[in-house]
Amino acid sequence: MFTLTKIDSIPDNYQKYHIRNNLLISNRIRSHLVQRFPDCHWKVTNNDIYINVSLKSSPWEKNSQIVHAIADYAYYYADSYNYDHTDINSDYCNMNFFGVYKNNIIAKDYTQLGTTSKTQQMELEFMRQYNEAFANE
């Protein structure tokens, strides 16, 4: 699970595909997240200028390190379809879409599903690898 949450492997999907259709982008984001994290339930919505990504439930506690790592991955993956050519010195705003906010990925009404021995083992292994990776920091 730890390797699945690494953000350094996320490509620049906007540069790769040049997609500007929010429906297509949101479908790609949801499909990827469902495939990558099958134990999680995702809600990805869109309109003309917004895309919202929400982790609705998983087998792990809302404030656990594993849930926050999954949410971080979801944020950076969704953001990889965006670009921002906004000029902060003027009123000119040029973005592919709005709405993916890091602090809103974990839903306010997040539900912890029942854990299994498999998901408990996944969390233990995640924490072991996480602690090894960040032990020197």
Side-chain angles (χ1 to χ4, degrees), residues 38 59 78 82 96 137:
N82 208 351
N96 202 15
E137 289 187 7

Side-chain angles (χ1 to χ4, degrees), residues 1-7 37 40 42 55 58-74 76 102 105-106 110 112 119-120 122-135 137:
M1 180 62 77
F2 182 74
T3 56
L4 293 177
T5 61
K6 288 186 156 192
I7 61 173
F37 304 108
C40 299
W42 298 94
L55 174 57
S58 83
W60 303 286
E61 290 182 28
K62 182 177 186 174
N63 293 320
S64 67
Q65 193 65 44
I66 193 168
V67 167
H68 284 276
I70 291 169
D72 281 350
Y73 179 89
Y76 287 108
K102 194 172 187 176
I105 299 289
I106 302 171
Y110 174 89
Q112 181 183 354
T119 58
Q120 288 174 337
M122 288 170 71
E123 185 170 17
L124 290 172
E125 183 61 21
F126 172 86
M127 289 309 300
R128 185 189 66 74
Q129 292 177 352
Y130 179 87
N131 290 332
E132 285 177 6
F134 297 104
E137 289 187 7

Side-chain angles (χ1 to χ4, degrees), residues 29-76:
I29 291 168
R30 186 179 186 289
S31 294
H32 176 79
L33 294 175
V34 166
Q35 181 180 7
R36 193 166 187 100
F37 304 108
D39 295 311
C40 299
H41 179 252
W42 298 94
K43 182 178 180 183
V44 181
T45 58
N46 71 85
N47 66 21
D48 291 340
I49 61 172
Y50 286 95
I51 294 178
N52 295 305
V53 178
S54 184
L55 174 57
K56 301 297 282 179
S57 62
S58 83
W60 303 286
E61 290 182 28
K62 182 177 186 174
N63 293 320
S64 67
Q65 193 65 44
I66 193 168
V67 167
H68 284 276
I70 291 169
D72 281 350
Y73 179 89
Y75 167 75
Y76 287 108

Side-chain angles (χ1 to χ4, degrees), residues 99-113:
V100 179
Y101 300 106
K102 194 172 187 176
N103 294 337
N104 293 340
I105 299 289
I106 302 171
K108 290 181 182 12
D109 61 345
Y110 174 89
T111 304
Q112 181 183 354
L113 304 173

